[in-house]
Amino acid sequence: MKKTVLFLLTILMAGMSKAQTTVAPDATGMEQTAPEWAKQVVMGWNLGNSLESEKNETAWGNPKTTKAMIQYVHEAGFNGIRIPVRWMDHVIDQSTMAVDPTWMARVKEIVDWALEENMYVIINSHHEAWYDRNPYYDKQEENNQKLGALWTNIATEFRDYDSRLLFAGTNEITVNWSAPTTEQQAVQNSYNQTFIDAVRATGGKNYYRNLVVQTFACSPYHGLNGFTIPNDPVEGHLCVEFHYYDPYDYCGSCKYYYWGNAYKDKGPIITNSTEQTITQLFNRIQNTWGSKGLGIVIGEYGVSCHYTNDDKDTQMENMQYYLTCLVSEARKHGFAAFAWDNNVFGNGEEKFGIFRRTSSGMSVGNTYFLRGITEGAGAEYVEPVTPGPEDNPDGVTFWEGDEMLNWDKGLQLYIPASEFQGKTTDLQVVLYYTQDYDDYCMFQLNQADWQGEVTFTAGGIVYQANFIPNEVYGTGTGTDHVTACSFSAEQLAILQQKGLVIQGHGMRLTKVTLAMPTAINEINFSPAGDNRIFLLDGRQVQQPQPRQLYIKNGKKYIHQND
């Protein structure tokens, strides 16, 4: 008899729970779109290493968060806060993914404090190894069921909160931080869809709430080559999230002490990541996702404090400059950017602290970081201009600048494996450059792991790693050229795993694009009366090769001379 009563009671409770998690949609006060929300975040801050710590809030050495801490951050100029949360350690029933009411109340308390300061708030699911380190098909169904149930419970608790509060479904899904496989990208995309479906199904304000989905590993590069926008019944209420600690050898592993062309006279800088790199990447993101109505969230960014004793002041100023450049570009593009602050200070890796959090109060722990963010936040949003074919005829600009190739002393440009994934053999890596030396000028393509040379085709000729412009165009200091490199299916497959590095000597590289032949600008074709010679894709050549098809005087011809 007791078992029967208990069984009936369980069914009744399950029915009540289901009824409570689904109500009619409520659009009241939820009109703000995701891009509009993102633009409102002038300065965003992460409550790092707290609620996402193992087991409890103070496990990683930080004190319990207080209302005074949130007020202090807001008074310092931050009007956005991202609250990373680990939920599984507080799940009391994995069959329903029910969360301990005490933990749920604690999260709500901190959210409420932030909203009382009129801050924009994101809560997420963070450091959940059960799914974020298992992006595999054999775990996909189980993990999606749990993730959907978890977000049903979270969303139900916060359903009546206004539009200032956003939910972010996952965090950094990865295996070993390398480029994801097709399987891993697909599983991440399925997590995003499950999250959207679960939250929308709870109804109320959640049906219209702005939600945040993630790229694989929260990498912008993996996202540009594999992120799929989830299906959402509500238009204009999705954000995509990526994190930015680039270049990692400067921001994370601290192998370089200077960043940016403005500081290249101070010491060695990473030449494949400069001020222009940020601008160009954010342009690509805006054109790829922003143009489709998605809000853009930089969920984490930062540079670990690192310096040498002989030039500490300049290096601290350089980190301030880096943050100013990053935040300024985020503001210009309308991205909501949240600085990572783990309350760790000193010199070296993982020193991302901005504010000192103690049980007795708050203070500024790194004035350079705070100044850099504040200065960058002063930039104003710039309405994007959608490029037409005539604006960017040669495809997507990967890098642009003015850097000398001089083997290891000059530019070595890395194109990550993620840029080649999802591409076909129609892809061309197009180099724009100037010959600077009469005697010796070349560029060389290698695998990014330096374990092999890259075979490519340019102008119908196959090259093994090395391309010597003098042999194609003749000598001529100061002459500008464009060379498009294409790859066999076998070589492309290697690049999709290894990536590409461009180095060389005696030439100044000004731009590298990733293009498809159909994107090459045809207006450069030689018209009648013009003796210049062009390839069929519109690129001018100085010395045509035998038995190749060209255009001259507006007509096609095959060059016969040896």
Side-chain angles (χ1 to χ4, degrees):
M1 182 65 178
K2 289 182 179 179
K3 290 183 178 180
T4 302
V5 171
L6 180 60
F7 178 71
L8 291 174
L9 180 60
T10 300
I11 294 177
L12 179 61
M13 292 179 65
M16 291 174 61
S17 176
K18 184 175 181 179
Q20 291 171 347
T21 58
T22 303
V23 300
D26 180 8
T28 307
M30 305 300 285
E31 297 84 7
Q32 189 177 61
T33 66
E36 290 169 346
W37 186 96
K39 292 172 189 174
Q40 295 301 313
V41 179
V42 178
M43 290 168 56
W45 178 78
N46 271 276
L47 180 62
N49 286 19
S50 289
L51 297 188
E52 83 278 23
S53 303
E54 292 179 285
K55 302 302 181 184
N56 63 71
E57 186 177 350
T58 60
W60 287 352
N62 281 326
K64 288 194 68 172
T65 304
T66 65
K67 184 175 183 179
M69 290 179 185
I70 305 300
Q71 290 174 329
Y72 189 93
V73 171
H74 181 243
E75 290 170 0
F78 291 86
N79 73 329
I81 181 170
R82 180 173 177 260
I83 305 172
V85 183
R86 187 193 301 246
W87 300 95
M88 182 57 89
D89 289 355
H90 308 278
V91 167
I92 56 179
D93 183 352
Q94 290 195 26
S95 65
T96 63
M97 296 299 287
V99 178
D100 181 352
T102 302
W103 182 248
M104 185 69 78
R106 175 59 176 157
V107 176
K108 292 179 75 172
E109 182 177 40
I110 297 175
V111 170
D112 289 343
W113 289 337
L115 292 176
E116 287 175 13
E117 299 300 313
N118 197 28
M119 299 177 77
Y120 295 88
V121 184
I122 296 177
I123 58 173
N124 75 352
S125 174
H126 201 103
H127 287 319
E128 307 281 15
W130 56 276
Y131 73 81
D132 68 20
R133 294 302 179 266
N134 284 286
Y136 299 109
Y137 289 141
D138 62 351
K139 288 285 188 180
Q140 183 175 7
E141 182 177 357
E142 175 188 349
N143 286 347
N144 273 303
Q145 288 176 348
K146 288 183 176 180
L147 188 66
L150 175 64
W151 272 109
T152 296
N153 293 326
I154 299 169
T156 301
E157 287 289 337
F158 289 93
R159 180 166 47 205
D160 296 330
Y161 279 63
D162 64 37
S163 62
R164 291 172 297 171
L165 175 64
L166 269 63
F167 305 148
T170 62
N171 185 48
E172 295 173 339
I173 308 292
T174 189
V175 177
N176 54 12
W177 302 103
S178 62
T181 64
T182 301
E183 174 186 21
Q184 292 162 0
Q185 287 273 28
V187 173
Q188 164 73 80
N189 288 328
S190 75
Y191 290 163
N192 288 336
Q193 189 64 61
T194 293
F195 162 68
I196 296 296
D197 293 343
V199 174
R200 296 292 184 232
T202 62
K205 295 184 184 299
N206 286 340
Y207 190 81
Y208 298 97
R209 188 174 306 283
N210 291 317
L211 303 178
V212 187
V213 291
Q214 291 70 39
T215 65
F216 188 88
C218 276
S219 161
Y221 309 105
H222 298 335
L224 289 166
N225 289 283
F227 168 76
T228 299
I229 300 174
N231 295 321
D232 189 1
V234 186
E235 185 176 355
H237 287 273
L238 281 186
C239 294
V240 60
E241 175 186 356
F242 69 89
H243 297 171
Y244 199 79
Y245 296 99
D246 288 357
Y248 192 75
D249 281 350
Y250 175 74
C251 296
S253 60
C254 306
K255 296 178 181 177
Y256 285 79
Y257 291 93
Y258 303 95
W259 174 87
N261 286 327
Y263 281 77
K264 63 183 179 181
D265 62 330
K266 304 299 183 183
I269 64 170
I270 301 176
T271 55
N272 67 324
S273 177
T274 65
E275 297 91 336
Q276 288 181 322
T277 304
I278 299 175
T279 302
Q280 290 161 5
L281 174 64
F282 286 11
N283 285 343
R284 289 183 63 190
I285 289 169
Q286 178 62 46
N287 292 334
T288 302
W289 297 322
S291 63
K292 294 180 175 65
L294 273 67
I296 313 296
V297 171
I298 307 176
E300 297 176 16
Y301 72 86
V303 54
S304 185
C305 186
H306 61 293
Y307 51 83
T308 59
N309 291 329
D310 59 339
D311 199 17
K312 178 180 178 180
D313 290 343
T314 303
Q315 291 160 4
M316 293 299 295
E317 291 171 359
N318 187 215
M319 286 181 277
Q320 176 180 323
Y321 173 72
Y322 170 85
L323 292 172
T324 297
C325 291
L326 175 57
V327 176
S328 174
E329 286 301 321
R331 290 288 296 148
K332 290 176 184 177
H333 286 79
F335 300 173
F338 293 80
W340 183 251
D341 184 348
N342 57 2
N343 193 30
V344 179
F345 301 88
N347 181 10
E349 298 182 35
E350 292 297 319
K351 314 298 184 186
F352 292 100
I354 301 171
F355 298 107
R356 291 191 184 277
R357 283 177 263 159
T358 68
S359 56
S360 59
M362 288 273 281
S363 62
V364 177
N366 192 318
T367 56
Y368 290 94
F369 284 8
L370 183 58
R371 279 201 300 264
I373 294 168
T374 303
E375 290 172 3
E380 296 183 357
Y381 173 70
V382 178
E383 191 69 34
V385 177
T386 303
E390 67 282 357
D391 298 317
N392 192 12
D394 298 322
V396 176
T397 299
F398 175 78
W399 177 90
E400 191 168 12
D402 184 12
E403 295 288 340
M404 194 71 189
L405 298 189
N406 187 20
W407 300 124
D408 60 330
K409 298 181 178 63
L411 172 68
Q412 291 180 322
L413 184 64
Y414 292 83
I415 303 180
S418 59
E419 293 290 345
F420 296 96
Q421 291 167 5
K423 303 296 192 303
T424 68
T425 52
D426 290 332
L427 173 71
Q428 294 180 335
V429 174
V430 184
L431 284 72
Y432 296 72
Y433 56 93
T434 302
Q435 288 177 255
D436 265 18
Y437 298 141
D438 283 335
D439 57 344
Y440 184 54
C441 174
M442 73 171 298
F443 69 80
Q444 184 182 84
L445 305 187
N446 289 285
Q447 294 173 190
D449 62 359
W450 299 100
Q451 298 301 305
E453 297 179 334
V454 171
T455 301
F456 62 95
T457 301
I461 300 174
V462 177
Y463 295 89
Q464 181 66 36
N466 300 329
F467 183 91
I468 302 175
N470 293 354
E471 296 178 354
V472 179
Y473 307 118
T475 59
T477 300
T479 306
D480 295 330
H481 297 295
V482 180
T483 300
C485 307
S486 58
F487 311 95
S488 66
E490 181 181 10
Q491 182 64 76
L492 180 61
I494 295 173
L495 295 177
Q496 289 170 339
Q497 293 297 316
K498 304 289 188 177
L500 175 71
V501 62
I502 301 171
Q503 66 170 3
H505 179 78
M507 52 187 281
R508 301 191 70 84
L509 196 63
T510 56
K511 185 167 68 170
V512 174
T513 65
L514 305 179
M516 308 299 280
T518 54
I520 299 296
N521 189 0
E522 297 186 0
I523 65 173
N524 286 331
F525 275 4
S526 176
D530 186 341
N531 289 321
R532 291 181 300 166
I533 302 171
F534 292 83
L535 295 172
L536 295 183
D537 61 13
R539 287 173 288 119
Q540 184 181 0
V541 296
Q542 300 297 325
Q543 293 184 347
Q545 300 297 313
R547 294 175 295 281
Q548 296 295 319
L549 187 63
Y550 297 99
I551 292 179
K552 182 179 178 181
N553 292 322
K555 296 180 180 180
K556 295 180 181 178
Y557 81 101
I558 296 177
H559 187 64
Q560 299 291 351
N561 296 334
D562 292 331

